[in-house]
Amino acid sequence: MLDVLIINGTYPDFGNYKTGANNSGSKMVKGNIGLKDGSISYVGEGEPEAKEVFDAHGLVVSPGFIDIHMHEENFLKEGKKCITSKHMLEMGVTTAVGGNCGTQRQDIHVFKSTIQDLGGAPINYMAYTGYNFFRTGLGFDHHEITGTGDRVKIRDLLMKEIEQGACGVSFGIEYDPAMTFDEMLFAVGDLQNPNYIVSAHYRDEDHINTDNVDEMIRFSREIVPKFQISHLSSGAAFGKMNECLDHINKAMALDPGLNYDTYPYNAFSTYIGSTVFEDGCLETWGVGYDSILLTGDPYRNTFCTEEIFKDARKNYPDMLAVAFVMNEDAIREAIVNPNGMVASDGVIAGGHGHPRVAGTFPRVLGKYVREEEALPLVLALRKITLEPAERMNLKKKGRIVEGGDGDLTIFDPNSIIDKADFMKLEPPAGIKRVYLAGEIALDEGSIIKENLGSFIPFDIGN
């Protein structure tokens, strides 16, 4: 007997999808889905006996959304509240990948042990180990060049995190501008399995040319692991998105290890004290101080003046700021491109921050799929389920197939939309139910169980 049978729903059938191949066979199909012992045990048109039956008439039954680029909780500073992953669960995410942009927020063993102490997390977690985290930890200034001996120390620390289950190494090149191409190559020199992943936050926000994207394409060619260009929207949405996508698409045709992720908002967010906001940034973006929104006390929900901007940089460097500097048309281009994945880049501090942490996936499905008809539903779902699952070597996630993990997100395609804005992180509309490991984690917007998730060590197998 099944634990639950979901009837009358529509789900994505990705067929024999492969990156770079002709995938015209992907389609939405109607059928029933059965869960038992944490896995999908039935897919078909019949109605096997089940302890519970859920009628998904008019709803989409999707593999649980996978956020391949977000920023995990900082348990050391914020306690064991799991605020970030609760937002993730509310928008249908069942697995998320932290440690991005080189900004790992605690040692992985601390992160894992905290989740274990809690008896589980609201979602499943995976993580990169962040290069900048250890570079800064050894005392290096953002503009200070490292020597050979220091690079060996950093690489040794990274490899210890790999042994703890990290999926690969992330870099935040813009945050440490002195970081060189060769320094990054040295850091990942011991990762000789092609299933590992390396990701990078571009070098700077120079919207005059495509050099930043081209640097990462060159880097991908030099390394054994797969390579992920992080949040393309915030690196190319300044008037050069077409050119950047053209370079990436051509490179991906030759390099199957290369890909990118992007988020559906025309504003980015990072710490006000970071190098991103150094002198000259506003001139580069062509905006004034009033395009920068601060998210923490004493300036929560305040747009900057020159005085406020300088005070926040000096006295509140760990406050998150939101910069409204990107082109909406470019955001759309990055999302609808046949290549690429959608990810949130979600990060909050003290429970406040950019709405992408609470609205990314419903926004794509509501705004770009339903309202604008900019891309078909099955392609959007592929970008937030199957592609990140394959990227992360999660063989039992990302598809509705017998034997797959019982992580499902059920939503109403006619009402799903983000509700979070830049002032308040409201949960989305239209997420009807989320199953994690075959159990109900969320129902009609209410979290039912917040400990069904765990830390997933990276599997480097074939």
Side-chain angles (χ1 to χ4, degrees), residues 252-268:
M252 285 183 64
L254 300 173
D255 179 6
L258 176 67
N259 215 315
Y260 74 88
D261 53 69
T262 192
Y263 56 80
Y265 294 88
N266 62 0
F268 73 79

Side-chain angles (χ1 to χ4, degrees), residues 162-203:
I162 293 292
E163 292 172 1
Q164 287 287 322
C167 62
V169 176
S170 74
F171 296 95
I173 314 174
E174 185 173 28
Y175 297 126
D176 286 319
M179 190 187 304
T180 66
F181 192 88
D182 288 341
E183 181 178 354
M184 294 191 300
L185 284 179
F186 185 87
V188 299
D190 286 348
L191 294 181
Q192 293 298 308
N193 187 306
N195 287 323
Y196 281 119
I197 310 170
V198 174
S199 70
H201 172 128
Y202 47 85
R203 185 166 294 280

Side-chain angles (χ1 to χ4, degrees), residues 3 35-41 397 403-407 436-439:
D3 294 326
L35 301 175
K36 183 177 177 60
D37 297 332
S39 298
I40 299 172
S41 59
K397 299 186 187 296
D405 285 345
D407 297 351
L436 209 159
E439 295 190 52

Side-chain angles (χ1 to χ4, degrees), residues 355-409:
R356 63 196 182 191
V357 75
T360 287
F361 302 103
R363 181 175 178 83
V364 168
L365 297 170
K367 174 180 171 63
Y368 295 102
V369 173
R370 183 182 66 250
E371 295 177 358
E372 299 185 4
E373 299 182 344
L375 76 168
L377 175 60
V378 71
L379 175 57
L381 291 176
R382 194 190 79 197
K383 287 172 173 283
I384 62 178
T385 60
L386 177 62
E387 290 203 44
E390 292 192 339
R391 196 75 166 155
M392 301 306 299
N393 217 26
L394 295 168
K395 298 181 179 65
K396 292 188 176 183
K397 299 186 187 296
R399 288 184 187 267
I400 304 293
V401 293
E402 292 183 8
D405 285 345
D407 297 351
L408 301 175
T409 296

Side-chain angles (χ1 to χ4, degrees), residues 4 32 57 114 120 195 203 210 214 290 302 392 406 421 433:
V4 62
N32 301 333
H57 177 74
T114 302
N195 287 323
R203 185 166 294 280
T210 61
D214 290 338
D290 59 355
T302 299
M392 301 306 299
D421 60 26
R433 182 171 284 193

Side-chain angles (χ1 to χ4, degrees), residues 215-232:
E215 178 184 29
M216 290 191 277
I217 291 172
R218 292 196 306 273
F219 190 77
S220 179
R221 293 171 181 162
E222 294 286 332
I223 64 175
V224 174
K226 293 172 282 190
F227 186 78
Q228 189 82 0
I229 299 173
S230 294
H231 46 58
L232 180 66

